[in-house]
Amino acid sequence: MTELNIGLFGLGTVGQGIYRVLERARNAHASISRICVRSLAKKRDIDIPANMLTDDPDDIFNDSAINLIVEVVDNAEASWRIVRRALEQGIPVVSGNKAMIARHLPELIALQRRTGAALLYDASSCGSIPVIRNLEEYYDNDLLLEVKGILNGSSNYILSRVFDHGEDYGYALKRAQELGFAEADPSFDIKGFDSLFKLVIITVHALGVYVDPGRVFTYGISAISDFDIKYAREKGVKIKLVAQVVKLDDDRFTLFVMPEFVSPGKYIYSVDDEYNGVVIRGECYDRQFMFGKGAGGLPTASSILSDVTARLHNYRYEYKKMSYEGRPAYTTDVSLRIYLRHKNPEVPYGLKFDKILERYISDHTCYTVGDLSLAELMLHPELLSDPDVFICNIPRFFESDDDGSLSNIN
Ligand code: HSE
């Protein structure tokens, strides 16, 4: 068996996790030869021989003994430069950078096909949960109906702490950063972009279709208020940040990231703290559920290790579903039911509901519950940055198939 000599880029929370995990994985047939870091002077929690470290990428790219690059830098531009160069040089790569992968996936697929070098990235989506490889291999058919779940550990940690433990939102966010769950810029977590990038990657492996992240409705939890939490508690539900890709019929699918009211009968209701949970629904098996730690150094490193050992057997993604006939097309022409909390009695920004089911008006806070199209919601980007507005999805897809649907919210 060929031994893998790894050139590692990045020695932050995940990079250090990889170093630790590889030391313990005696049958991995893989070891780190060289580590490229941004700052040689930076103090780190682990002792690493000084001669392993470099700040010059050429020390890795020009070392002919290195036969696998593992890239876990937090900057998406730097990640793109590293991965592109590695693939162009014919060196296989394992990456965890979801922003880079979601933005460049079509080019990355083309590069892999042209150069023959493989790129694996299970660690990019849901930390330790093997969601990509399962979608690619086990669910290699067109009977999938939906992939839906909690894909961001930090926002889930914050919501759990605020909802279940009454902690202050700002304090919970700070703890998520201290515990190493949050991105370098935590607004990516709480505004939903981290979930979006993962959802875009998941959609390629679920349905064989790439959707540019800029075309996907993405709304996070930063505007949530005590009023919304109280509303959810009174209805007996939790608010979770949920990403979903849903096949509407044989020809069409939709995807979006939005907070959602989750009732106790749902698998993701019990997914708390930094855990992620992914529900996969198919035509023949109803629902399956994957649960695990979605953020943090060691859980993410374990997923990297799995991709590293997969390379021992020359595993690569084949993107088979991208060549399926009759792939569904992305649409935003789909009706959603939402809870919209706003400040003044009139619905903000002229947002047009097709049907209003409930309205509440008081001096300080109002809300409207009703149906509108996703396309209509996307016509009003001003909503997304208005601190006086909060939007929450009331799930309707497949609800009659599931136990515990939201019968008490319209
Ligand atoms: N910031 C991410 C999260 C890390 O909180 O889920 C794992 O991708």
Side-chain angles (χ1 to χ4, degrees):
M1 187 173 281
T2 318
E3 293 287 318
L4 292 175
N5 299 316
I6 295 172
L8 175 65
F9 283 89
L11 197 52
T13 309
V14 178
Q16 293 181 46
I18 294 166
Y19 190 87
R20 288 200 177 108
V21 163
L22 274 171
E23 275 185 330
R24 284 158 57 183
R26 287 191 303 276
N27 286 301
H29 298 279
S31 55
I32 298 174
S33 301
R34 210 73 201 271
I35 305 172
C36 185
V37 292
R38 204 168 33 202
S39 160
L40 290 169
K42 188 175 163 187
K43 275 216 152 299
R44 298 186 167 86
D45 293 341
I46 48 175
D47 280 333
I48 295 190
N51 61 359
M52 278 184 89
L53 297 180
T54 175
D55 56 5
D56 182 358
D58 284 346
D59 285 342
I60 288 183
F61 284 115
N62 295 338
D63 183 342
S64 59
I66 287 179
N67 51 10
L68 181 68
I69 283 178
V70 174
E71 172 284 303
V72 286
V73 301
D74 60 21
N75 178 297
E77 289 309 313
S79 159
W80 170 230
R81 284 194 296 274
I82 293 163
V83 173
R84 185 178 50 192
R85 182 170 172 190
L87 294 176
E88 276 169 351
Q89 283 189 212
I91 309 170
V93 193
V94 171
S95 169
N97 197 308
K98 55 249 157 178
M100 184 282 289
I101 294 164
R103 289 182 186 134
H104 293 284
L105 202 40
E107 294 148 283
L108 290 166
I109 294 170
L111 256 175
Q112 291 179 77
R113 290 195 171 132
R114 179 163 64 77
T115 64
L119 168 67
L120 299 182
Y121 44 81
D122 223 307
S124 68
S125 303
C126 306
S128 63
I129 307 177
V131 65
I132 303 294
R133 210 168 329 150
N134 269 293
L135 287 170
E136 182 73 11
E137 304 303 336
Y138 182 82
Y139 300 95
D140 177 22
N141 55 62
D142 52 6
L143 302 182
L144 266 184
L145 294 173
E146 177 188 56
V147 182
K148 167 173 181 171
I150 294 168
L151 311 186
N152 180 261
S154 303
S155 57
N156 201 46
Y157 176 85
I158 294 165
L159 288 173
S160 300
R161 302 313 295 181
V162 171
F163 208 95
D164 299 334
H165 302 273
E167 279 178 13
D168 171 68
Y169 180 98
Y171 175 74
L173 169 58
K174 194 166 144 275
R175 285 295 294 148
Q177 289 177 286
E178 285 166 2
L179 292 165
F181 308 148
E183 297 300 298
D185 175 357
S187 70
F188 273 79
D189 297 294
I190 59 177
K191 292 193 170 160
F193 295 109
D194 181 79
S195 302
L196 163 71
F197 297 138
K198 293 166 180 168
L199 184 65
V200 165
I201 298 167
I202 282 173
T203 300
V204 165
H205 293 275
L207 300 181
V209 184
Y210 173 75
V211 182
D212 187 285
R215 297 177 61 211
V216 181
F217 182 79
T218 305
Y219 183 67
I221 59 165
S222 44
I224 197 169
S225 72
D226 289 345
F227 184 92
D228 309 314
I229 290 169
K230 193 162 162 271
Y231 177 91
R233 279 213 187 99
E234 280 168 7
K235 301 283 183 184
V237 297
K238 288 184 183 173
I239 299 173
K240 299 279 188 192
L241 182 59
V242 174
Q244 54 200 301
V245 51
V246 185
K247 222 169 142 187
L248 302 166
D249 52 42
D250 281 349
D251 302 322
R252 301 174 317 141
F253 74 96
T254 196
L255 72 166
F256 54 91
V257 177
M258 215 189 309
E260 178 162 310
F261 291 130
V262 180
S263 57
K266 296 297 164 84
Y267 291 129
I268 56 174
Y269 182 86
S270 316
V271 176
D272 287 325
D273 296 326
E274 80 274 27
Y275 284 85
N276 285 189
V278 183
V279 178
I280 296 178
R281 188 187 300 269
E283 287 184 25
C284 307
Y285 45 82
D286 187 20
R287 288 169 293 166
Q288 297 183 341
F289 180 54
M290 291 199 253
F291 169 81
K293 285 201 171 177
L298 289 176
T300 310
S302 81
S303 186
I304 295 271
L305 174 67
S306 177
D307 278 349
V308 166
T309 51
R311 281 307 304 158
L312 282 171
H313 309 285
N314 290 319
Y315 176 76
R316 60 188 306 132
Y317 305 136
E318 292 177 59
Y319 303 97
K320 296 183 279 277
K321 292 178 195 173
M322 293 193 107
S323 55
Y324 280 5
E325 280 177 19
R327 284 177 303 155
Y330 170 45
T331 183
T332 56
D333 183 14
V334 53
S335 179
L336 302 181
R337 180 159 295 172
I338 65 160
Y339 156 95
L340 177 77
R341 192 249 306 144
H342 43 103
K343 196 169 176 186
N344 299 315
E346 62 277 10
V347 172
Y349 306 111
L351 191 67
K352 285 193 201 68
F353 280 86
D354 299 321
K355 187 158 126 193
I356 290 183
L357 300 153
E358 189 184 335
R359 296 210 71 194
Y360 168 85
I361 293 173
S362 79
D363 286 349
H364 311 291
T365 309
C366 309
Y367 70 77
T368 305
V369 172
D371 297 346
L372 44 55
S373 75
L374 178 58
E376 169 66 14
L377 211 42
M378 291 175 80
L379 282 177
H380 299 279
E382 322 86 87
L383 282 167
L384 307 185
S385 52
D386 187 336
D388 293 328
V389 165
F390 181 67
I391 309 170
C392 196
N393 186 43
I394 301 173
R396 289 169 82 198
F397 305 122
F398 308 109
E399 283 300 293
S400 55
D401 300 346
D402 296 354
D403 297 335
S405 62
L406 292 182
S407 51
N408 56 346
I409 306 182
N410 300 290

